Amino acid sequence: MSSVVDVRRDGDIAVVTIDNPPVNALGHAVRSGLHAAMRELRDDASVKAVVLAGAGRTFPAGADITEFGNPLQPPGLGEVIEQIEAMPKPVIAALHGTPLGGGFELALGCHWRVAAKGTRPGLPEVKLGILPGAGGTQRLPRLIGPVEALPIIVGGEPIPAERALQLGAIDEIAEGDVIEAAIAFARRVLAEKRPIVRVSEREDKIAAARADRSAFEAAAAEATARTRGLEAPVACAKAVGFAIDLPFAEGLKREHALFLDLVKSDQSKAQRHLFFAEREAAKVADMPKDTKPRPVVRAAVIGAGTMGGGISMCFANAGIPVTIVDATEEALQRGLGTIEKNYGISVSRGRMSADDLTARMGLISGTTDMTAVADADIIIEAVFEEMEVKRDIFGRLDRIAKPSAVLATNTSYLDVNEIARATGRPGSVLGMHFFSPANVMKLLEIVRGKATEPEVLATAIDVARKLKKVPVVVGVCFGFVGNRMLRARSLESERLLLEGASPAQVDRALTDFGFPMGPFAMIDLAGLDIGWRIRKAMGPTADGGPAPIADQLCEMGRFGQKTGRGFYIYEKGARGGTPDPEVAALIERTAADMGIVRREISDEEIVERLIYPMISEGAKILDEGIAQRPGDIDIVWVNGYGFPVRLGGPMHWADTVGLAHIRDRLRHWAQFNPALQPAPLLERLADEGRGFASLRTGRDKAA
Ligand code: 3H9
């Protein structure tokens, strides 16, 4: 018997259990184990029905992604599923956990599906740049209807068991143990002599779409309207169309052909890289294996401003009570008011119920009395960026907080070690750098100080997961990973203006590249005054280097969207900004004053000069150990700054482009600006013909 597929008997019912931790992925051993077990059970006359289940935390969560890219070892998953569907005796899937991708496809090949409470089935393949390639795009539409199947396949989000039941994707939600419930279901099927239901033979749910495709077409257009250059969502919709237009066997063939094309594509490689990189980014190589996070049942946030408010919302959303402390009653009330208003918007858009709003506001309390944080397990400081203010706060927290509390700062560039030294317990201090708006953005840079204890780090990572963030552990330096690389980009973006580009051209080159927003639209949104104040306080190289245009705009009171003017003009009610001739004239004048002769600049040059320096900075960050792996940098940029997912992040993309090419182009630009000299690590890897991926310490899973 296979070591990953167990068969036991319960009277005349056979229970087949897949046991391949951690998520019962359907790798070669599982597929061949299933294949052999099903053949035996088919031929065993004493077996009247079969229950198929997963051991441990879930029914299979999909094909084994680590096998992608290597030649397939038979039997293929599609073959195993067809074999199960063809069984002459009832096969009932007993689902629990997250039956995803190939796991859900396996369940669709069974004749009935019983699910435990809380099961979340789905077809998330699209997020890996592929489509369900083991019959999912052909069976799900036949089971629940193509219009209903479409968003599940194109969107990739798992659905709650209740919704799956409503749609007919599952047949029963079990009250108690799901395997027992599935066995009882099988006995009922046998007693009632119910005919076996093979989804591939069902036509009833696709008949309407066959007669009139218009509802499906409209749903497909809506589902693929905002795909940002991704191929997989379009292929998913196309494959669902095959279910309507083609006989099952033909549709299956076409689905598989699309799957094979996608799995080879650069986009899918990039997305699979991001899948594994996201899981690795929170792992700390030198953390002792037995490190346990401390329990966090109560949180506190210092500062009721935009960041503090957003962070507090994250805790309330996760069901963790949070106390906000601000110096004045007025600031506190304003902050609490903003939070309530933000939740109100969610309610009015139907994303949240009024009861939820009451419940979440009930978890948030405010005070001007710092001693209220005494019982908090984690305290996050989110006041403005001034070292002295932060040191003062941490000194006070040190006297008030309980000994086991984690003390975190949300600074975006200040020295976490220096902040830690303001306390008598630097081991309890670290950075938790949220991105704005904190209640929306997924990224969380967890900044490990020199003294941060492993347990404290583990607690921050655990809290990040509870807040549904994507944590990336980074080291201390100016701007950490994200803002330090952004700085390399900002430095060049103003130079491009002076040399001949317009803000609109620079922004368009980057949105064409795949960013949701260009650098100047982004500064206008964030406010030009932030960088201006930093440059004034810390010298012109502090924030993105000298910025003569931005500085002059600020002196004119043009702080961006909030003042209606920045690099662009913002008319009331208009969505984006429009170019401003006054800004164009200012740029020309400044260039002339600086003796710069303006010239035609190509979009290609813009991309090279904005993104290659970021990559070079990324190489320095790796060399210094600020980031542990190139994939960590990719996760920061994809989740915090909108780097296009289809390119897999800056470091992965750099490998695709080729490091030798990037080195050569940076050397070329360095003739005009020595700061663009390629980083030593980039030089070395390029000389050796290697990519950043070769630096990975873990096994190269996503290859
Ligand atoms: C597919 O099915 C294609 C078919 O349509 C067609 C075939 C022909 N394979 O996320 P976690 C690892 S495509 C290999 O930390 P959680 C993961 O790397 C697949 N490994 O746990 C991690 O390893 P490590 C469609 C996998 O509880 C460990 O398991 N399915 C796979 O937060 C724990 O994972 C999907 O896209 C896999 N399929 O979340 C589902 N899945 O410990 C992908 C996980 O070494 N998986 N691992 O870092 C998920 O979404 C989440 O892992 C899941 C659990 C929700 C299941």
Side-chain angles (χ1 to χ4, degrees):
M1 188 66 351
S2 154
S3 62
V4 288
V5 176
D6 173 71
V7 181
R8 71 174 169 93
R9 293 286 291 268
D10 188 306
D12 53 5
I13 313 248
V15 178
V16 178
T17 307
I18 299 166
D19 188 3
N20 183 29
V23 298
N24 291 321
L26 298 157
H28 176 247
V30 175
R31 296 194 307 271
S32 44
L34 274 178
H35 197 270
M38 289 298 165
R39 200 173 39 213
E40 244 183 77
L41 295 173
R42 181 195 61 197
D43 298 339
D44 184 339
S46 69
V47 171
K48 300 292 182 229
V50 179
V51 165
L52 178 58
R57 62 204 237 197
T58 185
F59 194 81
D64 186 338
I65 310 166
T66 60
E67 286 184 356
F68 291 176
N70 303 324
L72 176 91
Q73 295 235 53
L77 183 57
E79 193 184 325
V80 174
I81 292 173
E82 284 184 62
Q83 178 203 15
I84 291 174
E85 194 180 47
M87 289 280 280
K89 39 191 111 180
V91 183
I92 287 99
L95 308 177
H96 78 294
T98 46
L100 297 175
F104 191 39
E105 292 177 293
L106 182 65
L108 294 173
C110 297
H111 306 134
W112 286 277
R113 285 150 294 280
V114 175
K117 274 189 177 158
T119 305
R120 292 176 65 81
L123 294 171
E125 283 90 340
V126 71
K127 295 185 181 173
L128 299 169
I130 52 174
L131 52 65
T137 67
Q138 304 306 297
R139 285 195 181 86
L140 193 62
R142 282 179 165 80
L143 184 61
I144 67 172
V147 173
E148 290 74 10
L150 198 66
I152 297 174
I153 296 172
V154 177
E157 286 304 320
I159 54 173
E162 295 73 22
R163 174 83 184 131
L165 183 67
Q166 210 179 34
L167 288 169
I170 59 172
D171 301 287
E172 184 182 298
I173 297 179
E175 279 305 319
D177 180 82
V178 70
I179 294 182
E180 290 310 316
I183 292 172
F185 194 99
R187 294 205 198 287
R188 272 200 316 275
V189 164
L190 293 173
E192 294 166 12
K193 297 195 168 54
R194 285 204 224 167
I196 283 173
V197 186
R198 296 191 175 87
V199 177
S200 66
E201 293 169 357
R202 280 184 61 172
E203 300 268 306
D204 50 319
K205 293 280 183 177
I206 45 176
R210 275 193 174 150
D212 175 6
R213 245 174 162 278
S214 58
F216 171 74
E217 295 296 348
E222 193 189 315
T224 56
R226 280 175 297 275
T227 53
R228 294 186 59 196
L230 292 168
E231 293 154 6
V234 180
C236 283
K238 193 166 159 188
V240 177
F242 296 156
I244 303 172
D245 299 332
L246 302 172
F248 181 78
E250 188 58 28
L252 209 56
K253 261 193 225 149
R254 301 282 293 273
E255 173 202 84
H256 202 65
L258 278 180
F259 173 83
L260 292 176
D261 281 347
L262 288 172
V263 89
K264 290 197 296 254
S265 69
D266 283 345
Q267 286 196 0
S268 174
K269 283 181 195 150
Q271 288 177 267
R272 272 138 53 198
H273 158 71
L274 289 172
F275 175 84
F276 287 114
E278 182 175 322
R279 278 151 186 83
E280 267 192 307
K283 291 188 183 142
V284 183
D286 60 343
M287 171 120 71
K289 278 244 163 331
D290 51 357
T291 311
K292 292 253 174 323
R294 296 177 187 161
V296 169
V297 292
R298 202 158 255 298
V301 172
I302 313 294
T306 311
M307 281 317 280
I311 296 169
S312 304
M313 288 172 79
C314 295
F315 280 106
N317 295 346
I320 301 172
V322 56
T323 305
I324 311 181
V325 185
D326 206 307
T328 68
E329 191 59 36
E330 193 202 336
L332 189 65
Q333 289 312 326
R334 195 166 353 126
L336 290 170
T338 307
I339 293 175
E340 190 152 14
K341 200 180 87 200
N342 286 339
Y343 278 139
I345 294 172
S346 297
V347 173
S348 67
R349 294 197 179 146
R351 285 200 296 253
M352 209 174 117
S353 71
D355 286 351
D356 279 344
L357 183 150
T358 314
R360 296 201 193 167
M361 285 310 290
L363 289 169
I364 302 177
S365 57
T367 175
T368 53
D369 175 11
M370 184 84 106
T371 60
V373 307
D375 63 347
D377 303 298
I378 186 163
I379 304 170
I380 302 181
E381 165 276 315
V383 303
F384 51 92
E385 294 282 65
E386 213 164 281
M387 183 53 91
E388 276 325 301
V389 179
K390 298 211 188 238
R391 285 182 55 90
D392 173 59
I393 288 175
F394 275 80
R396 283 156 68 195
L397 289 178
D398 191 22
R399 291 190 290 277
I400 299 167
K402 62 181 181 187
S404 62
V406 170
L407 309 182
T409 169
N410 177 51
T411 183
S412 41
Y413 61 90
L414 293 176
D415 183 347
V416 173
N417 294 322
E418 196 181 333
I419 296 174
R421 282 194 297 271
T423 72
R425 42 172 135 171
S428 297
V429 179
L430 44 54
M432 287 177 83
H433 180 210
F434 289 78
F435 287 69
S436 187
N439 54 316
V440 178
M441 297 294 285
K442 288 252 169 271
L443 178 64
L444 185 58
E445 280 182 328
I446 297 191
V447 190
R448 177 187 196 181
K450 256 197 217 111
T452 308
E453 286 159 14
E455 225 183 74
V456 170
L457 196 56
T459 307
I461 295 167
D462 188 53
V463 166
R465 293 228 172 84
K466 291 199 172 111
L467 304 188
K468 296 209 162 59
K469 298 291 170 196
V470 176
V472 180
V473 176
V474 302
V476 177
C477 67
F478 187 91
F480 316 123
V481 170
N483 284 343
R484 175 165 162 186
M485 285 169 69
L486 183 67
R487 189 165 167 247
R489 190 178 88 175
S490 316
L491 198 67
E492 272 308 278
S493 56
E494 277 230 1
R495 287 184 65 96
L496 281 164
L497 297 186
L498 295 170
E499 288 176 34
S502 68
Q505 189 198 358
V506 172
D507 281 352
R508 206 206 47 239
L510 283 210
T511 51
D512 285 353
F513 181 80
F515 279 97
M517 216 183 243
F520 295 111
M522 199 175 110
I523 306 183
D524 271 359
L525 180 68
L528 276 75
D529 49 326
I530 302 174
W532 185 47
R533 295 228 163 84
I534 299 174
R535 286 190 296 276
K536 282 211 292 197
M538 304 180 61
T541 51
D543 178 71
I549 306 295
D551 284 350
Q552 291 180 75
L553 290 175
C554 286
E555 274 146 29
M556 293 156 76
R558 301 178 64 129
F559 292 162
Q561 284 198 22
K562 59 184 163 194
T563 57
R565 276 176 159 64
F567 281 97
Y568 297 95
I569 298 186
Y570 298 87
E571 304 290 357
K572 265 218 158 43
R575 286 201 71 200
T578 46
D580 184 354
E582 206 182 319
V583 174
L586 172 75
I587 294 169
E588 278 176 31
R589 219 167 37 238
T590 311
D593 289 349
M594 295 170 75
I596 298 170
V597 182
R598 300 185 85 234
R599 61 185 167 87
E600 192 78 29
I601 293 196
S602 70
D603 288 4
E604 201 186 344
E605 177 177 342
I606 294 174
V607 168
E608 284 188 0
R609 283 181 55 188
L610 293 189
I611 303 194
Y612 291 2
M614 271 174 43
I615 291 163
S616 186
E617 196 64 38
K620 289 183 197 158
I621 284 171
L622 283 170
D623 226 3
E624 294 167 22
I626 297 296
Q628 299 178 84
R629 323 160 184 93
D632 295 8
I633 298 177
D634 291 331
I635 292 304
V636 165
W637 269 81
V638 165
N639 292 285
Y641 300 83
F643 196 96
V645 165
R646 68 183 152 80
L647 302 180
M651 309 313 268
H652 178 87
W653 181 67
D655 281 356
T656 320
V657 173
L659 297 193
H661 173 75
I662 293 175
R663 173 202 57 199
D664 293 346
R665 297 307 295 158
L666 282 171
R667 281 183 184 164
H668 169 75
W669 297 117
Q671 299 170 49
F672 310 101
N673 174 9
L676 297 183
Q677 206 56 252
L681 176 65
L682 175 55
E683 292 268 12
R684 181 162 62 80
L685 292 174
D687 288 348
E688 292 169 5
R690 293 167 59 190
F692 288 118
S694 68
L695 296 170
R696 293 171 56 152
T697 45
R699 66 202 154 109
D700 197 5
K701 291 169 161 184

